[in-house]
Amino acid sequence: MFEFNSIVVLSDKKDKQYMITLKEGARFSTQYGYIEHNDIAALDEGDIIKSTLGHPYLVYKPTYMDFVMNIKRQAQIIYPKDAAAMLMWCDVAPNQKILESGIGQGALSLAILRALAGTGSLTSYEIRADFAEQSAKFIKQFMGETPANHVIEVRSIYDGIDGTYDRVLLDLPEPWHVVPHLKTGLKNGGLIVAYLPTILQVKTYVDALKECGYFSDIETAEFTRRPWKVDGMSVRPEMWIYNHSAFLISARKLKNI
Ligand SMILES: C[S@@+](CC[C@H](N)C(=O)[O-])C[C@H]1O[C@@H](n2cnc3c(N)ncnc32)[C@H](O)[C@@H]1O
């Protein structure tokens, strides 16, 4: 059974996904007729339902990837392949005190909150009030409630960081302005990971990390995803590829000198 106001995915045999919020009395309309939301609500995850013209749809709750890839977005998100790498490179784990900036759509925040699993805390600094508000709704929509361990502050991280964090994750245009604030904003031994689309940004940021003198283990990498087609005797890389998204730069804070 699915609850009204929850989100469900309808996936057809061509693997086309439709993500909808169930509303009592509403209809999901398609080129193959329609399906009553009330009929979907009565199903179990993994059931198949047919539209009025007989087209079958598999019904299930969205995964993190379904949700962030299918939602109508206001800001560019960090795609799951990079969000996954950021969580590993930043060693995000329960009970940590984490700072991220900016929040944008909230896709990375959601990944961090899931890794924290209700423990520790996530603070998000976001310069735009509209993104702060919209991302809070996005997170609540997926998690069902506003997580008690998440605080969004409308402010520029370039102006400073209050407190000291175990981990910092950055997705904003000029992270080199954050480096001076990490002297006290990131604990010694703590990790920081930044996401930067262009290599000129990477160069400026890495230079700033090196020049400040309190970072070691500075690494830059790009993570690629290469899908393959496996269909009968046709087993080969797909003809299309994911192109460039961004570079990830990780570093570890040294004792202040
Ligand atoms: C690309 S979006 C972040 C997307 C987010 N990581 C996600 O996965 O949904 C970049 C965000 O950084 C915010 N931003 C830019 N400069 C900032 C600053 N100085 N302090 C705080 N937020 C900032 C922007 O308003 C924008 O919301």
mmCIF file of all heavy atoms in Angstrom, residues 3-30:
data_model
loop_
_atom_site.group_PDB
_atom_site.id
_atom_site.type_symbol
_atom_site.label_atom_id
_atom_site.label_comp_id
_atom_site.label_asym_id
_atom_site.label_seq_id
_atom_site.Cartn_x
_atom_site.Cartn_y
_atom_site.Cartn_z
ATOM 1 N N GLU A 3 0.906 5.455 0.606
ATOM 2 C CA GLU A 3 0.113 6.502 1.246
ATOM 3 C C GLU A 3 -0.124 7.657 0.278
ATOM 4 O O GLU A 3 0.749 7.957 -0.551
ATOM 5 C CB GLU A 3 0.856 7.046 2.462
ATOM 6 C CG GLU A 3 0.806 6.084 3.633
ATOM 7 C CD GLU A 3 1.565 6.591 4.825
ATOM 8 O OE1 GLU A 3 1.914 7.784 4.840
ATOM 9 O OE2 GLU A 3 1.797 5.777 5.723
ATOM 10 N N PHE A 4 -1.281 8.323 0.410
ATOM 11 C CA PHE A 4 -1.507 9.536 -0.370
ATOM 12 C C PHE A 4 -0.487 10.582 0.071
ATOM 13 O O PHE A 4 -0.065 10.610 1.228
ATOM 14 C CB PHE A 4 -2.943 10.032 -0.203
ATOM 15 C CG PHE A 4 -3.933 9.148 -0.924
ATOM 16 C CD1 PHE A 4 -4.855 8.383 -0.228
ATOM 17 C CD2 PHE A 4 -3.896 9.055 -2.316
ATOM 18 C CE1 PHE A 4 -5.729 7.546 -0.899
ATOM 19 C CE2 PHE A 4 -4.777 8.220 -2.993
ATOM 20 C CZ PHE A 4 -5.697 7.462 -2.282
ATOM 21 N N ASN A 5 -0.065 11.400 -0.875
ATOM 22 C CA ASN A 5 0.988 12.427 -0.707
ATOM 23 C C ASN A 5 2.397 11.841 -0.712
ATOM 24 O O ASN A 5 3.365 12.582 -0.583
ATOM 25 C CB ASN A 5 0.787 13.291 0.549
ATOM 26 C CG ASN A 5 -0.470 14.128 0.409
ATOM 27 O OD1 ASN A 5 -0.739 14.648 -0.673
ATOM 28 N ND2 ASN A 5 -1.243 14.223 1.472
ATOM 29 N N SER A 6 2.513 10.506 -0.819
ATOM 30 C CA SER A 6 3.863 9.941 -0.975
ATOM 31 C C SER A 6 4.202 9.915 -2.469
ATOM 32 O O SER A 6 3.312 10.019 -3.318
ATOM 33 C CB SER A 6 3.950 8.540 -0.373
ATOM 34 O OG SER A 6 3.208 7.636 -1.166
ATOM 35 N N ILE A 7 5.509 9.793 -2.765
ATOM 36 C CA ILE A 7 5.895 9.756 -4.172
ATOM 37 C C ILE A 7 6.132 8.318 -4.619
ATOM 38 O O ILE A 7 6.693 7.515 -3.873
ATOM 39 C CB ILE A 7 7.142 10.630 -4.458
ATOM 40 C CG1 ILE A 7 8.085 10.636 -3.274
ATOM 41 C CG2 ILE A 7 6.789 12.029 -4.913
ATOM 42 C CD1 ILE A 7 9.326 11.445 -3.499
ATOM 43 N N VAL A 8 5.674 8.041 -5.827
ATOM 44 C CA VAL A 8 5.874 6.701 -6.390
ATOM 45 C C VAL A 8 6.427 6.856 -7.813
ATOM 46 O O VAL A 8 6.252 7.899 -8.451
ATOM 47 C CB VAL A 8 4.577 5.860 -6.445
ATOM 48 C CG1 VAL A 8 4.040 5.583 -5.070
ATOM 49 C CG2 VAL A 8 3.533 6.510 -7.320
ATOM 50 N N VAL A 9 7.094 5.803 -8.254
ATOM 51 C CA VAL A 9 7.594 5.774 -9.628
ATOM 52 C C VAL A 9 6.772 4.767 -10.412
ATOM 53 O O VAL A 9 6.500 3.659 -9.935
ATOM 54 C CB VAL A 9 9.089 5.375 -9.666
ATOM 55 C CG1 VAL A 9 9.582 5.250 -11.104
ATOM 56 C CG2 VAL A 9 9.941 6.378 -8.905
ATOM 57 N N LEU A 10 6.350 5.184 -11.621
ATOM 58 C CA LEU A 10 5.721 4.263 -12.571
ATOM 59 C C LEU A 10 6.739 4.074 -13.694
ATOM 60 O O LEU A 10 7.158 5.049 -14.313
ATOM 61 C CB LEU A 10 4.440 4.861 -13.149
ATOM 62 C CG LEU A 10 3.321 5.193 -12.164
ATOM 63 C CD1 LEU A 10 2.133 5.800 -12.892
ATOM 64 C CD2 LEU A 10 2.879 3.953 -11.420
ATOM 65 N N SER A 11 7.143 2.838 -13.902
ATOM 66 C CA SER A 11 8.194 2.581 -14.894
ATOM 67 C C SER A 11 7.633 1.648 -15.952
ATOM 68 O O SER A 11 7.090 0.586 -15.624
ATOM 69 C CB SER A 11 9.381 1.946 -14.168
ATOM 70 O OG SER A 11 10.346 1.548 -15.084
ATOM 71 N N ASP A 12 7.739 2.039 -17.234
ATOM 72 C CA ASP A 12 7.173 1.155 -18.251
ATOM 73 C C ASP A 12 8.258 0.255 -18.831
ATOM 74 O O ASP A 12 9.428 0.337 -18.458
ATOM 75 C CB ASP A 12 6.393 1.947 -19.303
ATOM 76 C CG ASP A 12 7.273 2.690 -20.282
ATOM 77 O OD1 ASP A 12 8.503 2.524 -20.241
ATOM 78 O OD2 ASP A 12 6.708 3.455 -21.093
ATOM 79 N N LYS A 13 7.860 -0.642 -19.728
ATOM 80 C CA LYS A 13 8.810 -1.659 -20.162
ATOM 81 C C LYS A 13 9.947 -1.079 -20.997
ATOM 82 O O LYS A 13 10.953 -1.731 -21.218
ATOM 83 C CB LYS A 13 8.107 -2.808 -20.883
ATOM 84 C CG LYS A 13 7.332 -2.392 -22.094
ATOM 85 C CD LYS A 13 6.545 -3.563 -22.643
ATOM 86 C CE LYS A 13 5.673 -3.063 -23.779
ATOM 87 N NZ LYS A 13 4.608 -3.949 -24.150
ATOM 88 N N LYS A 14 9.790 0.174 -21.417
ATOM 89 C CA LYS A 14 10.905 0.829 -22.115
ATOM 90 C C LYS A 14 11.805 1.526 -21.099
ATOM 91 O O LYS A 14 12.654 2.335 -21.457
ATOM 92 C CB LYS A 14 10.363 1.857 -23.107
ATOM 93 C CG LYS A 14 9.626 1.217 -24.262
ATOM 94 C CD LYS A 14 9.003 2.289 -25.146
ATOM 95 C CE LYS A 14 8.089 1.628 -26.166
ATOM 96 N NZ LYS A 14 6.932 2.453 -26.472
ATOM 97 N N ASP A 15 11.556 1.236 -19.810
ATOM 98 C CA ASP A 15 12.324 1.834 -18.714
ATOM 99 C C ASP A 15 12.174 3.341 -18.647
ATOM 100 O O ASP A 15 13.061 4.036 -18.176
ATOM 101 C CB ASP A 15 13.809 1.449 -18.782
ATOM 102 C CG ASP A 15 14.016 0.014 -18.370
ATOM 103 O OD1 ASP A 15 13.150 -0.496 -17.629
ATOM 104 O OD2 ASP A 15 15.009 -0.593 -18.784
ATOM 105 N N LYS A 16 11.070 3.842 -19.162
ATOM 106 C CA LYS A 16 10.786 5.268 -18.991
ATOM 107 C C LYS A 16 10.125 5.429 -17.627
ATOM 108 O O LYS A 16 9.195 4.691 -17.297
ATOM 109 C CB LYS A 16 9.858 5.733 -20.123
ATOM 110 C CG LYS A 16 9.703 7.207 -20.140
ATOM 111 C CD LYS A 16 9.375 7.730 -21.521
ATOM 112 C CE LYS A 16 9.471 9.240 -21.446
ATOM 113 N NZ LYS A 16 8.579 10.003 -22.134
ATOM 114 N N GLN A 17 10.650 6.394 -16.826
ATOM 115 C CA GLN A 17 10.141 6.545 -15.460
ATOM 116 C C GLN A 17 9.288 7.797 -15.318
ATOM 117 O O GLN A 17 9.646 8.853 -15.840
ATOM 118 C CB GLN A 17 11.304 6.684 -14.473
ATOM 119 C CG GLN A 17 12.098 5.414 -14.285
ATOM 120 C CD GLN A 17 13.158 5.624 -13.207
ATOM 121 O OE1 GLN A 17 13.717 6.699 -13.058
ATOM 122 N NE2 GLN A 17 13.430 4.579 -12.460
ATOM 123 N N TYR A 18 8.187 7.664 -14.595
ATOM 124 C CA TYR A 18 7.345 8.816 -14.255
ATOM 125 C C TYR A 18 7.256 8.855 -12.739
ATOM 126 O O TYR A 18 6.850 7.860 -12.125
ATOM 127 C CB TYR A 18 5.940 8.654 -14.837
ATOM 128 C CG TYR A 18 5.942 8.476 -16.341
ATOM 129 C CD1 TYR A 18 6.082 7.209 -16.903
ATOM 130 C CD2 TYR A 18 5.825 9.578 -17.184
ATOM 131 C CE1 TYR A 18 6.120 7.044 -18.281
ATOM 132 C CE2 TYR A 18 5.854 9.417 -18.562
ATOM 133 C CZ TYR A 18 5.999 8.150 -19.095
ATOM 134 O OH TYR A 18 6.031 7.981 -20.461
ATOM 135 N N MET A 19 7.660 9.993 -12.124
ATOM 136 C CA MET A 19 7.586 10.102 -10.676
ATOM 137 C C MET A 19 6.392 10.985 -10.335
ATOM 138 O O MET A 19 6.292 12.109 -10.832
ATOM 139 C CB MET A 19 8.873 10.727 -10.143
ATOM 140 C CG MET A 19 9.097 10.441 -8.686
ATOM 141 S SD MET A 19 10.769 10.855 -8.193
ATOM 142 C CE MET A 19 10.717 12.620 -8.290
ATOM 143 N N ILE A 20 5.470 10.459 -9.539
ATOM 144 C CA ILE A 20 4.258 11.229 -9.231
ATOM 145 C C ILE A 20 3.994 11.239 -7.723
ATOM 146 O O ILE A 20 4.433 10.338 -6.999
ATOM 147 C CB ILE A 20 3.012 10.661 -9.959
ATOM 148 C CG1 ILE A 20 2.756 9.202 -9.553
ATOM 149 C CG2 ILE A 20 3.154 10.756 -11.463
ATOM 150 C CD1 ILE A 20 1.393 8.693 -10.015
ATOM 151 N N THR A 21 3.290 12.289 -7.278
ATOM 152 C CA THR A 21 2.833 12.348 -5.883
ATOM 153 C C THR A 21 1.388 11.886 -5.875
ATOM 154 O O THR A 21 0.543 12.427 -6.609
ATOM 155 C CB THR A 21 2.942 13.791 -5.357
ATOM 156 O OG1 THR A 21 4.296 14.214 -5.492
ATOM 157 C CG2 THR A 21 2.534 13.863 -3.882
ATOM 158 N N LEU A 22 1.100 10.858 -5.089
ATOM 159 C CA LEU A 22 -0.255 10.285 -5.071
ATOM 160 C C LEU A 22 -1.254 11.229 -4.411
ATOM 161 O O LEU A 22 -1.030 11.675 -3.284
ATOM 162 C CB LEU A 22 -0.253 8.964 -4.305
ATOM 163 C CG LEU A 22 0.368 7.755 -5.001
ATOM 164 C CD1 LEU A 22 0.200 6.527 -4.125
ATOM 165 C CD2 LEU A 22 -0.242 7.529 -6.381
ATOM 166 N N LYS A 23 -2.312 11.540 -5.130
ATOM 167 C CA LYS A 23 -3.382 12.408 -4.598
ATOM 168 C C LYS A 23 -4.712 11.670 -4.727
ATOM 169 O O LYS A 23 -5.011 11.126 -5.812
ATOM 170 C CB LYS A 23 -3.478 13.715 -5.405
ATOM 171 C CG LYS A 23 -2.222 14.561 -5.347
ATOM 172 C CD LYS A 23 -2.174 15.398 -4.088
ATOM 173 C CE LYS A 23 -0.878 16.165 -4.004
ATOM 174 N NZ LYS A 23 -0.469 16.508 -2.661
ATOM 175 N N GLU A 24 -5.464 11.684 -3.649
ATOM 176 C CA GLU A 24 -6.759 10.986 -3.661
ATOM 177 C C GLU A 24 -7.644 11.546 -4.784
ATOM 178 O O GLU A 24 -7.777 12.768 -4.913
ATOM 179 C CB GLU A 24 -7.449 11.164 -2.299
ATOM 180 C CG GLU A 24 -8.489 10.096 -2.073
ATOM 181 C CD GLU A 24 -8.853 9.940 -0.605
ATOM 182 O OE1 GLU A 24 -8.341 10.702 0.231
ATOM 183 O OE2 GLU A 24 -9.655 9.031 -0.338
ATOM 184 N N GLY A 25 -8.154 10.673 -5.624
ATOM 185 C CA GLY A 25 -9.086 11.079 -6.681
ATOM 186 C C GLY A 25 -8.403 11.588 -7.952
ATOM 187 O O GLY A 25 -9.089 11.872 -8.934
ATOM 188 N N ALA A 26 -7.058 11.687 -7.953
ATOM 189 C CA ALA A 26 -6.361 12.205 -9.148
ATOM 190 C C ALA A 26 -6.108 11.082 -10.153
ATOM 191 O O ALA A 26 -6.279 9.900 -9.846
ATOM 192 C CB ALA A 26 -5.051 12.865 -8.735
ATOM 193 N N ARG A 27 -5.705 11.503 -11.373
ATOM 194 C CA ARG A 27 -5.408 10.529 -12.432
ATOM 195 C C ARG A 27 -4.016 10.740 -12.987
ATOM 196 O O ARG A 27 -3.591 11.891 -13.153
ATOM 197 C CB ARG A 27 -6.366 10.709 -13.608
ATOM 198 C CG ARG A 27 -7.650 10.012 -13.435
ATOM 199 C CD ARG A 27 -8.512 10.244 -14.666
ATOM 200 N NE ARG A 27 -9.775 9.545 -14.509
ATOM 201 C CZ ARG A 27 -10.795 9.666 -15.335
ATOM 202 N NH1 ARG A 27 -10.719 10.482 -16.362
ATOM 203 N NH2 ARG A 27 -11.886 8.975 -15.132
ATOM 204 N N PHE A 28 -3.317 9.656 -13.314
ATOM 205 C CA PHE A 28 -2.053 9.726 -14.056
ATOM 206 C C PHE A 28 -2.417 9.498 -15.523
ATOM 207 O O PHE A 28 -2.913 8.427 -15.890
ATOM 208 C CB PHE A 28 -1.095 8.640 -13.537
ATOM 209 C CG PHE A 28 0.088 8.389 -14.431
ATOM 210 C CD1 PHE A 28 1.099 9.338 -14.556
ATOM 211 C CD2 PHE A 28 0.195 7.192 -15.147
ATOM 212 C CE1 PHE A 28 2.185 9.105 -15.386
ATOM 213 C CE2 PHE A 28 1.284 6.960 -15.970
ATOM 214 C CZ PHE A 28 2.284 7.913 -16.090
ATOM 215 N N SER A 29 -2.206 10.534 -16.343
ATOM 216 C CA SER A 29 -2.592 10.419 -17.758
ATOM 217 C C SER A 29 -1.368 10.180 -18.624
ATOM 218 O O SER A 29 -0.316 10.787 -18.405
ATOM 219 C CB SER A 29 -3.273 11.702 -18.228
ATOM 220 O OG SER A 29 -4.468 11.863 -17.518
ATOM 221 N N THR A 30 -1.514 9.319 -19.596
ATOM 222 C CA THR A 30 -0.419 9.006 -20.509
ATOM 223 C C THR A 30 -0.995 8.859 -21.915
ATOM 224 O O THR A 30 -2.217 8.853 -22.099
ATOM 225 C CB THR A 30 0.311 7.691 -20.132
ATOM 226 O OG1 THR A 30 -0.104 6.646 -20.999
ATOM 227 C CG2 THR A 30 -0.018 7.248 -18.734
#
